[in-house]
Amino acid sequence: MAIYRYERDPQAIYRESFARIEAEAGPALAALPRDLARVAVRLIHACGMTDLVEDLAATPDLVEASCRALGKGAPILCDAAMVASGIMRRHLPNGVEIVAAIDLPGVRERAAEIGNTRSAAAMDLLGERLDGALVAIGNAPTALFRLLEMIELDGIRPAAILGFPVGFVGAAESKDALIAADLGIPYLTLRGRRGGSALAAAAVNALILPEGEAS
Amino acid sequence: MAIYRYERDPQAIYRESFARIEAEAGPALAALPRDLARVAVRLIHACGMTDLVEDLAATPDLVEASCRALGKGAPILCDAAMVASGIMRRHLPNGVEIVAAIDLPGVRERAAEIGNTRSAAAMDLLGERLDGALVAIGNAPTALFRLLEMIELDGIRPAAILGFPVGFVGAAESKDALIAADLGIPYLTLRGRRGGSALAAAAVNALILPEGEAS
């Protein structure tokens, strides 16, 4: 009946995907701390690119700090609605709130007021809610730059930062700035132009999924 | 006051992004039909990778057929919630419905019944709603394979297919199958492992955004 031959069993697809990632990126993954390697595998899985691992940068405490914050009920603050939409809510501890900052009321007005993008203004509006939060940026370089300013100028202290802005203007620069700032705040980021909401969401999901869970 | 120097003007970011894409991918873009080149630029913009254009495959009528369908109120049927979430609803003609098929009731049961993934079962549940629809697949290879089966076995006729499944098992194969099937249905796809919800959403947005609109 079926005219195409393809794998239809979700568990087999999952196993074969991760075996191929291991076969191609194994050595690079083995060089990472074990908990971070698990996250890296999920990121590769989300985008189909095994060379992604070469551009990852993270503090060694990223996974532990993020999980500790979520376990205490810290919110997940995202720049874009797509990031928030990609997070697997059913795997979150009860009561963990997910916010898509760009959808906060007053973003457009704040952007005009501070002379910055709506994405940066959205970080601005989050203000002290950023303290202790897991921040996931999957779209705008200006959101990450604004977050760095708030940390360095206003003393805001997120629990951890997942920095995946994407694109041609400011993306690589904002992620390099996150690394260079050496803030004492745990982070995971991807050097260069690559990034995006699917990767930011995959990073959050990697932190909350039980090991060995397909999706 | 600001400790980082970065571009904060959305229009300047937009202009500079597209100038860099043109500088790097100009010759490859110039080889495409003009309306398709616009879509390709948006896809590159969404992922930060100019070499993406080399893996694009499309029928020459893709943009015209998609826009005609949306103009007549055809729904946009997505495999994943993240694809649906990334579509800029305010630019859609009034009354155009966006569906995230994976969220349809009964998906899990149908998957068990047909011995396939939930993503494939979701296509199955859409059934005749696929006729005349714009279908955007940004996650599961099995959704695209199932769609091809429904077209070839059941005579389902979408208005157009945006095929961006991602990953290591079946993604490249399902997109090659779409191309090889030569169904007489307009399509846009990206050969190889790359793809994902951000690209599928960007493809839809490229079709509905007025030319020169930043976001």
Side-chain angles (χ1 to χ4, degrees):
Chain A
M1 178 70 180
I3 50 176
Y4 292 106
R5 292 188 60 180
Y6 59 97
E7 185 56 67
R8 292 155 201 250
D9 171 19
Q11 289 301 326
I13 293 170
Y14 173 84
R15 279 194 308 271
E16 193 174 332
S17 294
F18 286 63
R20 290 192 192 179
I21 292 169
E22 181 60 35
E24 290 184 34
L29 290 165
L32 298 175
R34 190 166 172 283
D35 60 356
L36 203 59
R38 272 191 63 213
V39 176
V41 166
R42 292 273 175 190
L43 293 172
I44 292 170
H45 184 248
C47 69
M49 297 181 284
T50 51
D51 70 335
L52 176 136
V53 65
E54 297 158 24
D55 291 336
L56 285 178
T59 57
D61 55 349
L62 180 271
V63 174
E64 196 191 326
S66 302
C67 293
R68 195 179 334 117
L70 292 175
K72 284 198 248 169
I76 305 175
L77 307 182
C78 312
D79 62 337
M82 266 190 96
V83 180
S85 157
I87 296 172
M88 295 172 179
R89 288 165 195 269
R90 71 182 182 281
H91 291 293
L92 279 175
N94 276 339
V96 166
E97 186 192 13
I98 302 174
V99 176
I102 197 73
D103 291 336
L104 292 173
V107 163
R108 193 173 293 274
E109 294 74 13
R110 182 66 66 100
E113 194 184 314
I114 66 173
N116 209 322
T117 64
R118 288 190 296 128
S119 297
M123 287 293 126
D124 222 65
L125 284 175
L126 286 171
E128 293 180 1
R129 294 173 73 182
L130 290 159
D131 279 324
L134 179 62
V135 184
I137 296 180
N139 180 31
T142 53
L144 181 52
F145 270 127
R146 183 69 199 123
L147 177 64
L148 294 177
E149 291 174 346
M150 294 171 75
I151 292 168
E152 299 192 52
L153 300 175
D154 309 333
I156 296 288
R157 301 293 289 181
I161 300 169
L162 305 172
F164 293 87
V166 62
F168 295 85
V169 176
E173 295 84 347
S174 65
K175 293 179 283 189
D176 286 344
L178 169 65
I179 297 165
D182 196 16
L183 302 163
I185 295 173
Y187 69 78
L188 170 64
T189 191
L190 182 68
R191 290 191 193 87
R193 291 172 173 174
R194 290 187 295 183
S197 49
L199 286 172
V204 174
N205 291 333
L207 296 169
I208 62 179
L209 272 170
E211 192 153 7
E213 182 90 6
S215 66
Chain B
M1 178 67 179
I3 50 176
Y4 292 106
R5 292 188 61 180
Y6 58 97
E7 184 57 68
R8 292 154 201 249
D9 171 19
Q11 288 302 325
I13 293 170
Y14 172 84
R15 278 193 309 271
E16 194 175 330
S17 294
F18 285 63
R20 290 192 192 179
I21 292 169
E22 181 60 35
E24 290 184 35
L29 289 165
L32 298 175
R34 190 166 171 282
D35 59 358
L36 203 58
R38 273 190 63 214
V39 176
V41 166
R42 293 274 175 188
L43 293 172
I44 291 171
H45 185 249
C47 69
M49 298 181 284
T50 52
D51 70 335
L52 175 136
V53 65
E54 297 158 24
D55 291 336
L56 285 178
T59 57
D61 55 349
L62 180 272
V63 175
E64 195 190 325
S66 302
C67 293
R68 196 180 332 118
L70 293 174
K72 284 198 249 171
I76 304 175
L77 307 182
C78 311
D79 62 337
M82 268 191 96
V83 180
S85 158
I87 296 172
M88 296 173 178
R89 286 165 195 269
R90 70 181 182 283
H91 291 293
L92 279 176
N94 277 338
V96 166
E97 185 191 14
I98 301 174
V99 176
I102 196 74
D103 292 334
L104 292 173
V107 163
R108 193 173 292 273
E109 295 73 14
R110 181 66 67 101
E113 194 183 316
I114 66 172
N116 208 322
T117 65
R118 289 189 296 128
S119 297
M123 286 295 126
D124 222 64
L125 284 175
L126 285 171
E128 293 179 1
R129 294 174 73 183
L130 290 160
D131 279 323
L134 180 61
V135 184
I137 296 180
N139 180 32
T142 52
L144 182 52
F145 270 127
R146 183 70 198 121
L147 177 65
L148 294 177
E149 289 173 346
M150 294 172 75
I151 292 168
E152 300 192 51
L153 299 177
D154 308 332
I156 296 287
R157 301 293 290 182
I161 301 169
L162 305 172
F164 292 88
V166 61
F168 294 85
V169 177
E173 294 84 349
S174 66
K175 293 178 284 190
D176 286 345
L178 169 64
I179 297 166
D182 196 16
L183 301 163
I185 295 173
Y187 69 79
L188 169 65
T189 191
L190 182 68
R191 290 190 191 88
R193 292 173 173 174
R194 291 188 293 184
S197 49
L199 286 173
V204 175
N205 292 332
L207 295 169
I208 62 180
L209 272 170
E211 194 153 6
E213 182 90 7
S215 67

